[in-house]
Amino acid sequence: KQEVTQIPAALSVPEGENLVLNCSFTDSAIYNLQWFRQDPGKGLTSLLLIQSSQREQTSGRLNASLDKSSGRSTLYIAASQPGDSATYLCASTSGTYKYIFGTGTRLKVLA
Amino acid sequence: NAGVTQTPKFQVLKTGQSMTLQCAQDMNHEYMSWYRQDPGMGLRLIHYSVGAGITDQGEVPNGYNVSRSTTEDFPLRLLSAAPSQTSVYFCASSYEAGVGNEQFFGPGTRLTVL
């Protein structure tokens, strides 16, 4: 059974810092891995999707990598801003059509 | 293009009442799913559908029913509400589950069962 873990559960950084969020999964036979952002009281917004054949995806200041052999994905945020404060979630899917989510990392960027 | 819509946004029920949470998408997506989000538990899959007429159970299906009579709609029914079903419910869709398909989420329904 796929399990997805995100560590740390919470993170505070000063504005301008580069940071890395971690996502670990137990079943390397994933189809894809997706990173989301969730603001308090809101739904999930898709940030980046990495297919199993890819190693990374980039969008603006965000870069997500995927290493299936080690069961890890990282989300790199460059030059963090207070507006980046949110909870970041990763999710993966394998052949069972079930997306499994991590419990998220709550990020606070201090001005 | 409205994406994924959910109604209602908020709902309060008494124990034992039944209700239906509505979910619709206008992107012609085959795959739709329902999650509940509880503090410290992350999102957990309740039911999913890979196409009209096809549904299956997720991690936490007990107490919930679904049907998929059209591609667009995927309602979630609470048969007899219990306080343990107090949660935020999200509906999601993607072109199909599997390789390279991005999930899109609705804004959520916040349900309280007294």
Side-chain angles (χ1 to χ4, degrees):
Chain A
K1 177 187 173 186
Q2 177 75 285
E3 293 181 6
V4 180
T5 305
Q6 292 185 251
I7 295 173
L11 182 64
S12 287
V13 299
E15 181 177 7
E17 190 162 302
N18 302 326
L19 59 100
V20 174
L21 305 180
N22 296 298
C23 173
S24 300
F25 47 90
T26 55
D27 183 358
S28 61
I30 61 172
Y31 279 1
N32 59 40
L33 190 134
Q34 194 168 357
W35 282 93
F36 296 87
R37 169 186 173 136
Q38 186 177 30
D39 293 291
K42 303 292 185 183
L44 279 70
T45 300
S46 176
L47 296 174
L48 289 165
L49 171 70
I50 311 176
Q51 300 180 30
S52 62
S53 59
Q54 299 173 322
R55 291 193 63 86
E56 65 178 328
Q57 283 285 343
T58 298
S59 176
R61 294 183 294 110
L62 305 179
N63 175 277
S65 67
L66 176 64
D67 183 346
K68 291 199 300 179
S69 62
S70 66
R72 289 188 59 192
S73 176
T74 60
L75 179 66
Y76 175 83
I77 302 176
S80 58
Q81 304 169 357
D84 294 330
S85 298
T87 297
Y88 291 81
L89 297 144
C90 65
S92 74
T93 181
S94 60
T96 56
Y97 301 107
K98 296 179 182 178
Y99 287 89
I100 304 299
F101 278 80
T103 52
T105 294
R106 190 169 62 253
L107 173 66
K108 187 167 186 179
V109 181
L110 305 170
Chain B
N1 189 331
V4 181
T5 58
Q6 290 183 239
T7 56
K9 286 193 169 112
F10 301 94
Q11 183 71 48
V12 178
L13 292 178
K14 294 181 180 177
T15 296
Q17 287 185 314
S18 62
M19 78 159 294
T20 299
L21 278 64
Q22 301 291 344
C23 174
Q25 52 87 13
D26 61 0
M27 298 174 281
N28 202 31
H29 284 172
E30 290 296 323
Y31 182 89
M32 296 184 74
S33 54
W34 277 102
Y35 296 87
R36 59 177 291 172
Q37 186 176 35
D38 302 293
M41 303 288 292
L43 277 86
R44 291 181 292 169
L45 183 64
I46 304 171
H47 285 285
Y48 66 96
S49 169
V50 297
I54 306 169
T55 64
D56 206 346
Q57 297 181 347
E59 296 178 78
V60 289
N62 292 340
Y64 307 95
N65 270 359
V66 292
S67 60
R68 185 95 179 270
S69 56
T70 67
T71 299
E72 295 77 20
D73 300 298
F74 191 44
L76 178 72
R77 298 182 187 84
L78 280 69
L79 309 173
S80 177
S84 61
Q85 293 179 304
T86 293
S87 187
V88 182
Y89 291 85
F90 289 102
C91 178
S93 74
S94 64
Y95 181 66
E96 60 182 19
V99 177
N101 293 296
E102 186 177 6
Q103 281 201 97
F104 297 87
F105 277 77
T109 293
R110 190 173 295 272
L111 176 67
T112 301
V113 183
L114 303 174

